[in-house]
Amino acid sequence: MPESIDDHVVRRLRGWPARPDAHTSVPDPETLLAYFDAQLQSRHLDLAIRWLQTKGEAFYTIGSAGHESNAAVALALRPSDPALLHYRSGGFYAARAGQVAGTSAIDDVLNGALASTSDPISGGRHKVFGNAGLNVIPQTSTIGSHLPRAFGLAFALGRAPRSEVVPPWPLDSVVVCSFGDASANHSTAVGALNASAYCAHQGAPLPILYVCEDNGIGISTKSPAGWVERSLTSWPGIEYAVVDGTEPVELLATASRLADRVRSERRPAILHLRTVRFMGHAGSDAEIAYRSQREIEDDYARDPVLATAGVLIDAGVLTAETALARYEDARATVMQRAKALAGARRLDDPELIAEPITARRPRHDLLATPERRQSVFGGRLPEDEGPLSLAQSVNAALKDALAAHPEALVFGEDIGRKGGVYGVTRGLRKAFGATRVFDTLLDEQTILGTALGSALAGFLPIPEIQYLAYLHNAEDQLRGEAATLRFFSNGQYQNGMVVRVAGLAYQKGFGGHFHNDNSVAVLRDIPGLVLAVPSHPANAPQLLRECLALAGEGRVCVYLEPIALYHQRDLQDGDGAWTGTYAPPAAWPAESSAELGRVRTYGEGRDVLMVTFGNGVRLSLRAAAQLAPTIGCTVLDLQWLSPLPHEELLRTAAGFDRVVVVDETRRSGGVSESIVTALVDGGHTGRIVRVTSADSFIPLGPAADHVLLSEGLITEVVRRIVD
């Protein structure tokens, strides 16, 4: 087996050759010593956590050994600069903590690895680098999925001076984002770097410093020689610099130069930091299985800790003996704390564990002044316009939201000058300007990343995903990034937003799967995410308002708009029943039927309760009209698909012996499965049946009618349950 890196460092320092003529000067010995101390702290934290793991005390052992040179980046920045860190950025974290009095990186990192409730960022929920007092925003990413958020935060900070928003960081802040060489190949990283180059090309301010910590290997797979440099230098408009972690003086100077350039010019830059990786990918990784002993030990010559020790010794700042003493003192300090913190208290209450993603917070409803509303609506208020379609009512609600919330932003593909594919955002850009209503790149990951970062900076993002099917290639930005932030920061950070998505089926003349997706399963299993589906113009504005209020509490909301109902005006031919009058904002506080957990009901029939949502509401009401002569039906519109309104569902269903769940999503993995489960678990004793769409993608043209839930299927099932 290879000699351990710990033994190697001790042996080298003990046998360090005396070189009396080797003294060279260093420009800033104190900074270099602080850098060395941060490296030592990070190294011994890795060793201590592995020791704790052998005792059954530590649960996360992806370490930073070999990457400690990233401490130079922290020293080049201000502690007020927001940092989104790679999981091997332990040196950075130690150096940042050293810049802020009263903070202990040792306790922070150990408590995280111990899953201790004393962990200052997650409260025992995960081992992440994070601390609100250090402006280190926790990231759980292993594949660069935090880069779109980092881009979004820099984008928002660049726009903040032209807005009424005061971010929680100084306006001249630099966002720093670190990631690995293997992660640089992931679509999230490529998308963020592409978006950064896109902004640089247009001259848009984007103060972000990307740091690629390149150890040449991703778990067990080597990065091809020269590929990372070739890739990172390919982005136009992004300044690039490369430096090796074994050159501490050059690294400190280069990191400072880039940070200062980003801060003063508000343009993105990339620091390509060459590192090595010691002790494998993680504690359970036996790298001898895919690397030879010679390869492992050859990397010891590139140890950044020994490199810094060598420079300090050559400069006469330390001797080999005092460098070794410093190394051993760091070991003793870290191990003392590791032993003291072992046996930490851990979370043991399910409700407490989930509390950050479920807790409600104080709400502040904002209303625009009458004069402001008159201005943005051009003197024609929507409440005076007569019955509106779903698209018109959502448009009016968005205008009211932008008028009332100066921090609100609406953005997405084609939503600006064009006003959206279906006209839902028409007139918003003209009323509020291109800094608040703007088109984005055609990249859903970047759209959501922009929302994630903007929310962190204090904005209220309302991004649009043009079609539900387009969400799926970016869904992890909601699952892995948006929904987890409050969880892994114990509520200290939040990224409340309302993601508008045009979706569901029954669209005529523009069909096929990509414009008629009827699957929402991917959204419904994300803890803490709120999913609302408006069905009628009368309730759509109130549902959107509730989502905006929840976003103000820090919740991540998806507002799924049924495309087929956007311009529908009738329930039956010519009756105008699928339009609604617009309630002015002053009347909204009295409107409680759209609150989270509330349902709406239509009709008073007692024979059958139809439980449905979205397009199913209109289909069910049409079916109920056909059945009315012989069967009396009530239609329940769930409105909220996540979390399901269990209490109101059970309370309403209790008055019926027969329940038909009308679900336009698929039979397998569809919403109806959860509705039936809720009814059964809640003790409903009546008959329950469901009618759904088929387990199929939606084809183009008339074939779609054969796989989608239909009015005829609903009436057939209702008659069957009554007979």
Side-chain angles (χ1 to χ4, degrees):
M1 292 292 292
E3 176 186 32
S4 75
I5 185 60
D6 184 34
D7 290 341
H8 177 77
V9 171
V10 172
R11 180 174 59 80
R12 282 291 313 278
L13 289 175
R14 281 177 177 165
W16 200 272
R19 293 185 292 178
D21 299 328
H23 281 201
T24 57
S25 63
V26 290
D28 188 350
E30 290 303 315
T31 297
L32 194 58
L33 277 171
Y35 173 63
F36 186 48
D37 287 341
Q39 290 182 304
L40 298 181
Q41 199 173 95
S42 179
R43 176 66 58 86
H44 284 296
L45 280 166
D46 283 348
L47 297 172
I49 289 170
R50 280 163 173 75
W51 175 80
L52 285 166
Q53 186 186 39
T54 67
K55 305 298 181 182
E57 289 284 344
F59 306 99
Y60 192 90
T61 54
I62 293 182
S64 303
H67 281 240
E68 293 90 351
S69 51
N70 55 44
V73 181
L75 295 174
L77 295 165
R78 300 170 184 167
S80 58
D81 289 327
L84 298 86
L85 300 180
H86 180 48
Y87 54 36
R88 299 198 195 279
S89 295
F92 181 108
Y93 191 85
R96 172 65 64 90
Q99 295 172 313
V100 179
T103 304
S104 169
I106 296 173
D107 282 16
D108 287 1
V109 174
L110 288 175
N111 277 317
L114 291 165
S116 167
T117 56
S118 296
D119 171 23
I121 190 64
S122 78
R125 291 170 181 82
H126 205 284
K127 189 268 186 185
V128 291
F129 288 126
N131 187 313
L134 300 179
N135 295 293
V136 177
I137 301 158
Q139 305 302 313
T140 61
S141 165
T142 60
I143 52 169
S145 62
H146 60 302
L147 269 72
R149 182 202 295 277
F151 161 80
L153 178 53
F155 179 85
L157 290 177
R159 290 206 163 200
R162 293 177 288 164
S163 75
E164 297 181 39
V165 172
V166 179
W169 298 283
L171 289 178
D172 66 344
S173 293
V174 170
V175 178
V176 61
C177 175
S178 57
F179 58 100
D181 55 295
S183 299
N185 298 302
H186 197 270
S187 62
T188 48
V190 173
L193 291 169
N194 177 74
S196 299
Y198 185 90
C199 286
H201 178 75
Q202 294 183 306
L206 195 78
I208 186 166
L209 175 60
Y210 292 106
V211 181
C212 179
E213 299 182 16
D214 180 5
N215 61 32
I217 191 168
I219 305 181
S220 66
T221 304
K222 292 181 180 179
S223 295
W227 167 248
V228 177
E229 183 167 2
R230 178 70 178 272
S231 174
L232 295 179
T233 56
S234 68
W235 299 108
I238 302 181
E239 184 174 356
Y240 168 90
V242 59
V243 64
D244 198 284
T246 59
E247 300 291 340
V249 174
E250 180 186 352
L251 172 55
L252 285 163
T254 302
S256 293
R257 177 179 61 80
L258 283 182
D260 291 347
R261 182 77 60 85
V262 173
R263 194 180 309 279
S264 62
E265 298 183 4
R266 319 306 283 163
R267 292 177 62 83
I270 295 172
L271 174 61
H272 182 184
L273 177 56
R274 298 194 187 279
T275 68
V276 288
R277 189 190 76 189
F278 298 142
M279 297 189 284
H281 173 70
S284 60
D285 176 40
E287 64 176 338
I288 195 67
Y290 53 87
R291 300 183 74 200
S292 70
Q293 179 170 332
R294 177 65 179 271
E295 286 178 312
I296 295 170
E297 291 186 336
D298 281 350
D299 276 350
Y300 289 179
R302 298 180 56 214
D303 184 355
V305 169
L306 284 173
T308 307
V311 171
L312 287 166
I313 293 168
D314 287 347
V317 179
L318 296 177
T319 64
E321 291 77 14
T322 56
L324 178 58
R326 220 173 180 102
Y327 184 84
E328 293 298 347
D329 285 347
R331 183 201 306 277
T333 300
V334 171
M335 284 302 297
Q336 180 184 31
R337 293 304 297 154
K339 292 173 182 176
L341 294 172
R345 179 176 176 271
R346 299 182 175 103
L347 293 167
D348 56 7
D349 181 336
E351 291 187 5
L352 182 61
I353 292 169
E355 191 270 341
I357 56 175
T358 58
R360 302 300 302 271
R361 300 187 178 191
R363 300 166 61 152
H364 304 284
D365 293 323
L366 296 180
L367 299 178
T369 64
E371 295 76 16
R372 176 66 169 153
R373 293 192 73 232
Q374 285 285 345
S375 174
V376 300
F377 283 105
R380 300 178 60 182
L381 297 176
E383 56 265 36
D384 299 329
E385 287 292 294
L388 303 180
S389 67
L390 180 64
Q392 291 170 326
S393 67
V394 173
N395 176 273
L398 287 171
K399 280 186 179 177
D400 265 321
L402 286 162
H405 295 272
E407 75 278 17
L409 303 173
V410 173
F411 52 90
E413 300 169 8
D414 301 314
I415 64 92
R417 191 179 302 277
K418 182 177 180 179
V421 175
Y422 300 96
V424 180
T425 57
R426 186 172 296 147
L428 299 186
R429 175 181 164 128
K430 181 179 180 181
F432 298 98
T435 60
R436 297 189 62 199
V437 181
F438 52 91
D439 293 319
T440 63
L441 290 77
L442 272 65
D443 175 18
E444 285 71 27
Q445 290 182 141
T446 296
I447 293 172
L448 294 177
T450 302
L452 291 168
S454 297
L456 270 176
F459 289 92
L460 174 58
I462 313 173
E464 177 185 298
I465 301 297
Q466 197 168 82
Y467 288 100
L468 178 58
Y470 297 0
L471 173 69
H472 300 308
N473 65 7
E475 178 268 340
D476 187 59
Q477 288 297 298
L478 295 179
R479 176 188 304 278
E481 296 294 324
T484 63
L485 183 62
R486 288 213 303 175
F487 187 77
F488 290 122
S489 71
N490 199 17
Q492 296 172 82
Y493 287 105
Q494 60 187 39
N495 43 210
M497 65 185 70
V498 180
V499 184
R500 293 181 46 252
V501 183
L504 301 175
Y506 304 99
Q507 187 181 184
K508 302 297 184 183
F510 196 45
H513 164 66
F514 291 104
H515 304 102
N516 278 290
D517 189 0
N518 65 340
S519 175
V520 298
V522 77
L523 292 169
R524 293 196 62 252
D525 74 342
I526 301 176
L529 183 140
V530 173
L531 174 58
V533 183
S535 61
H536 194 278
N539 72 323
Q542 286 75 25
L543 275 179
L544 181 57
R545 168 187 170 268
E546 179 72 2
C547 286
L548 290 166
L550 290 166
E553 296 181 27
R555 299 291 287 268
V556 178
C557 302
V558 174
Y559 186 77
L560 179 59
E561 301 165 9
I563 298 172
L565 299 179
Y566 270 149
H567 304 299
Q568 184 61 250
R569 303 192 72 84
D570 301 330
L571 178 59
Q572 307 291 345
D573 291 344
D575 65 1
W578 224 255
T579 60
T581 56
Y582 187 83
W588 289 353
E591 172 59 65
S592 61
S593 62
E595 289 179 358
L596 182 64
R598 297 293 303 274
V599 302
R600 292 173 70 97
T601 58
Y602 300 84
E604 298 179 351
R606 306 309 301 168
D607 294 320
V608 175
L609 175 68
M610 299 183 188
V611 178
T612 188
F613 60 93
N615 290 291
V617 176
R618 184 171 182 273
L619 290 171
S620 295
L621 287 172
R622 286 176 61 87
Q626 289 187 42
L627 295 163
T630 56
I631 301 173
C633 299
T634 293
V635 175
L636 182 151
D637 180 1
L638 289 165
Q639 301 190 116
W640 305 98
L641 298 189
S642 186
L644 279 174
H646 288 87
E647 291 184 9
E648 294 219 349
L649 169 62
L650 291 170
R651 187 182 305 117
T652 306
F656 292 85
D657 294 328
R658 306 174 189 89
V659 176
V660 176
V661 180
V662 179
D663 180 9
E664 64 180 289
T665 65
R666 301 167 193 164
R667 189 164 188 83
S668 299
V671 179
S672 61
E673 292 179 339
S674 295
I675 299 171
V676 172
T677 300
L679 290 168
V680 172
D681 287 352
H684 183 72
T685 57
R687 290 188 63 192
I688 306 169
V689 297
R690 60 190 180 120
V691 55
T692 72
S693 294
D695 287 338
S696 172
F697 297 108
I698 300 172
L700 186 65
D705 296 336
H706 297 281
V707 299
L708 288 174
L709 171 72
S710 67
E711 187 180 319
L713 283 173
I714 298 169
T715 57
E716 178 184 334
V717 169
V718 170
R719 287 193 174 103
R720 192 185 311 144
I721 197 175
V722 171
D723 290 343

